[in-house]
Amino acid sequence: MKIAVVGTGYVGLVTGTCFAETGNQVTCVDIDVRKVERLQQGDIPIYEPGLDVLFDRNVAEGRLVFTTNLAEGIKDAQVIFLALPTPPGEDGSADLKYILKVADDLGYILETYAVIIDKSTVPVGTAEKVHNAIAKNAKVDFDVVSNPEFLREGVAVEDFMKPDRVVVGTSSEKAKKMMEKLYAPLVRQGNPVIFMDERSAEMTKYAANSFLAMKITFMNEIANLCEKVGANVDDIRRGIGTDSRIGKRFLFAGIGYGGSCFPKDVQALAKTSKDYNYDFRILESVMAVNYDQKKKLLPMVKNYFDGDLKGKTVAVWGLAFKPYTDDIREAPALENIEALLEAGAKITVYDPEAMNNVKGILGDKVTFCHTPYAALDDADALMIFTEWPQFRTPEFEKMGKLLKNKVVFDGRNLYELDQMREMGYTYYSIGREVVIPA
Ligand SMILES: NC(=O)c1ccc[n+]([C@@H]2O[C@H](COP(=O)([O-])OP(=O)(O)OC[C@H]3O[C@@H](n4cnc5c(N)ncnc54)[C@H](O)[C@@H]3O)[C@@H](O)[C@H]2O)c1
C-alpha cells in the first residue's frame, strides 16, 4: 500500500518505519524543517531502541521517505495517518488545532479516495470533526477512521510490530477492509483487531491510559499509607500482584507518573466528563494525588538539610520520564530540579539519553555530567528520578567516597533497605522505612 504519515514524532516515525518494514511505501510528512532534513540525512531525531535498524533498512531500500510538503507527501496515498500533537489546552481539553488544520488542508488537496486515520489521542467526536473539516472542500470521496495508538516509548517498535490488540473505529466497510489488510502482517499470531464505532475507539484510548494512571496512583497512595503504618510497599506489591485479577504490572510505587500521555490524557478525559455533566470523581483524585506525589521527596531533602538548601549540591540521576527514552515531557525530574534551584541548591545531573533535551530547557542552570559518578563528585546528596538499569547496581563504595554525605533520595525504590543499611547510607525511598545508619 502507499501510505502517508503526517506528523513524524515519536508515534509518526515509529508508525511510518514499521509499516515500511511490512512492505508498504511510506512518506512521512512534518512541518519541522530541521527534523525532516535530519531524517533525510539518515539521522533519527529521537531515541527509541531498535528503531535505527528498521529505519536504516527501509530508507536504504527506498520504502521510507520524508518531506515537509503535505501535497507531495499524500499524493496517491491510499491511507493517511494523522500522528499530530494533541497537547492540553488551557482548560485541560485536548487541543485539536494541529489535527483540524491538516484536515482542512487535506480537503483542498485530496485527489483520490483515501482513508484518513486519526492515530493521535483525540477526544470523543473528533473523527466527526475531522470528517467535516475535510468535507468542506473535498472533491473526492474519503473515510475517516479512529485508530488510537497504544505503543509505549522505549519499547515502541516491539509494541507496534506485535500489538496486544489493534483498535479500529469505523462505520465504513471499505475502510474496514483496508485496515484489515494493513494490519494483517502485525497480528499473525492471532492478536485481535477490534472493530467498533469511531466514538468508542476514541474513548478506548482514554479509558486505557486513565486506568493505568489510576493503577499507578493507587499504589502510590498505598505507599504513602505504608510509610505511616510501618509497612513495606514492595512486599504489598508482591502480595497483591500475584493475584491474577490484579496482575503484576503497573504496581511499582514511585514519584508519580509523567510523560506526554498519562497527564494530558487523564486531564482530557476529566474535561470530556465535565462537558457531558458527568462527575468522574476517581479521575479528579488521580490528578490531585499525582500532583503531590511528584514533589514527595522535596520536603524530605529540605528536612535532611535543616530547611536550608542554599549552597548545597544535589546530584540527580535520571531526567527522562521513564527509562529507554529521551522524552522529558512532564518528567518528575524537571519539576524537582526547578524547585531545588529555587531553594538555592546547585544541581549536577546525569541521564544516558535525555541530557540534550534538558539542555534546551535548563541551559547552564545545571551541570551536565558524562557519567553517573561524575555527578556525585563533592555533591551533598543524590536524588534518583528514573529507573535506568545502570543505576540498579552501582558501586556503593565508590559512591560513598564521592558524595559528601552518604544520603540517597530514591524516587524509584531501586535498592534493598538492608543493603543500604549495611553500606552505611541514609536512604529515603517511597512507601518504605527510612534507613538511618546506627
Ligand atoms: N508518545 C507516545 O508514547 C504516544 C503513544 C500513543 C499515542 N500518542 C499520541 O500520538 C500523538 C502524537 O504524539 P507524539 O508523542 O508522536 O508527538 P510528537 O510531538 O513527538 O510528534 C508530533 C509531530 O507532529 C509535527 N507536526 C505538528 N504540526 C504539523 C503539521 N501541520 N504538519 C505536519 N507535521 C506537524 C511536529 O513537528 C512533530 O514532529 C498525540 O496525540 C499523543 O497523545 C503518543
Side-chain angles (χ1 to χ4, degrees):
M1 261 192 231
K2 187 151 190 319
I3 297 175
V5 180
V6 187
T8 312
Y10 285 89
V11 169
L13 185 57
V14 171
T15 302
T17 306
C18 291
F19 277 130
E21 178 71 6
T22 56
N24 299 289
Q25 180 62 43
V26 179
T27 305
C28 290
V29 184
D30 205 286
I31 44 161
D32 184 335
V33 177
R34 176 81 198 101
K35 188 180 267 187
V36 170
E37 273 170 11
R38 282 181 68 179
L39 288 162
Q40 285 168 337
Q41 285 156 14
D43 180 18
I44 302 177
I46 55 167
Y47 172 72
E48 186 56 53
L51 184 62
D52 51 352
V53 179
L54 271 61
F55 177 91
D56 291 348
R57 177 164 49 233
N58 287 285
V59 167
E61 293 176 12
R63 282 189 300 273
L64 182 61
V65 296
F66 304 92
T67 179
T68 53
N69 186 320
L70 183 64
E72 183 190 307
I74 65 138
K75 197 168 167 41
D76 302 328
Q78 294 146 285
V79 301
I80 302 170
F81 281 98
L82 306 183
L84 294 154
T86 47
E90 266 172 30
D91 59 359
S93 63
D95 189 345
L96 293 179
K97 70 170 179 259
Y98 300 96
I99 304 240
L100 294 178
K101 165 79 178 71
V102 171
D104 208 48
D105 292 346
L106 286 176
Y108 290 101
I109 57 180
L110 269 183
E111 289 176 353
T112 51
Y113 172 84
V115 179
I116 322 296
I117 303 170
D118 279 341
K119 201 144 219 17
S120 300
T121 303
V122 289
V124 167
T126 302
E128 210 176 308
K129 286 185 185 165
V130 169
H131 190 278
N132 293 343
I134 300 171
K136 259 190 315 181
N137 303 299
K139 291 166 222 54
V140 294
D141 194 18
F142 66 94
D143 281 306
V144 175
V145 165
S146 168
N147 171 220
E149 181 49 56
F150 297 96
L151 65 76
R152 296 162 296 168
E153 284 174 22
V155 276
V157 173
E158 200 185 314
D159 281 350
F160 201 93
M161 296 302 279
K162 290 182 185 163
D164 284 347
R165 80 315 204 174
V166 176
V167 169
V168 177
T170 181
S171 36
S172 151
E173 267 308 308
K174 191 170 173 186
K176 184 178 175 207
K177 288 215 168 67
M178 283 176 75
M179 296 300 282
E180 270 168 351
K181 194 170 149 200
L182 186 62
Y183 276 104
L186 309 183
V187 293
R188 294 180 67 235
Q189 287 174 342
N191 291 352
V193 180
I194 305 169
F195 287 97
M196 56 185 78
D197 64 75
E198 295 83 345
R199 293 175 91 83
S200 303
E202 289 162 342
M203 186 77 168
T204 299
K205 174 66 189 178
Y206 284 104
N209 273 4
S210 299
F211 186 86
L212 293 170
M214 179 188 73
K215 200 170 174 189
I216 295 171
T217 304
F218 179 83
M219 275 321 272
N220 286 339
E221 290 234 79
I222 291 287
N224 296 342
L225 187 55
C226 279
E227 287 169 17
K228 292 202 186 290
V229 302
N232 182 329
V233 74
D234 280 339
D235 290 335
I236 318 292
R237 173 175 56 76
R238 283 190 286 267
I240 67 171
T242 36
D243 184 328
S244 60
R245 292 169 303 175
I246 295 173
K248 294 192 177 93
R249 296 164 76 182
F250 275 78
L251 290 183
F252 287 84
I255 39 161
Y257 60 79
S260 69
C261 292
F262 286 179
K264 89 171 166 55
D265 294 350
V266 174
Q267 224 183 330
L269 187 57
K271 177 67 172 64
T272 299
S273 308
K274 277 205 185 86
D275 290 346
Y276 285 80
N277 286 324
Y278 182 71
D279 187 10
F280 204 143
R281 284 162 292 179
I282 296 177
L283 288 185
E284 298 298 332
S285 300
V286 167
M287 288 188 287
V289 172
N290 196 60
Y291 180 84
D292 291 344
Q293 196 73 13
K294 280 173 117 176
K295 300 196 176 83
K296 188 180 160 65
L297 290 175
L298 282 172
M300 300 181 193
V301 179
K302 282 188 184 150
N303 236 2
Y304 180 84
F305 291 110
D306 296 327
D308 188 9
L309 287 175
K310 278 197 199 76
K312 301 287 181 216
T313 299
V314 178
V316 166
W317 281 4
L319 298 168
F321 84 93
K322 66 173 185 180
Y324 301 106
T325 181
D326 60 352
D327 196 343
I328 53 164
R329 292 178 281 187
E330 304 271 337
L334 293 189
E335 267 176 56
N336 279 276
I337 289 173
E338 266 156 23
L340 291 167
L341 288 171
E342 213 161 281
K346 290 182 200 146
I347 309 287
T348 53
V349 302
Y350 171 77
D351 185 285
E353 293 297 336
M355 291 203 289
N356 268 343
N357 287 341
V358 173
K359 273 180 197 158
I361 296 175
L362 293 177
D364 57 7
K365 285 196 209 153
V366 304
T367 305
F368 294 93
C369 302
H370 290 298
T371 68
Y373 297 107
L376 301 182
D377 198 5
D378 236 13
D380 293 278
L382 166 63
M383 292 184 84
I384 303 176
F385 292 112
T386 318
E387 62 275 36
W388 283 101
Q390 55 264 63
F391 302 153
R392 284 189 189 276
T393 46
E395 293 175 54
F396 286 109
E397 275 193 26
K398 183 173 173 182
M399 287 167 66
K401 285 185 188 137
L402 290 165
L403 281 165
K404 270 196 234 162
N405 309 292
K406 285 170 82 171
V407 57
V408 177
F409 299 89
D410 178 0
R412 300 296 175 188
N413 288 4
L414 295 187
Y415 310 126
E416 294 299 328
L417 300 180
D418 285 344
Q419 177 189 23
M420 297 308 270
R421 200 171 285 121
E422 271 165 36
M423 302 294 305
Y425 276 84
T426 301
Y427 181 54
Y428 294 81
S429 54
I430 309 287
R432 305 188 298 179
E433 142 199 14
V434 177
V435 173
I436 298 177

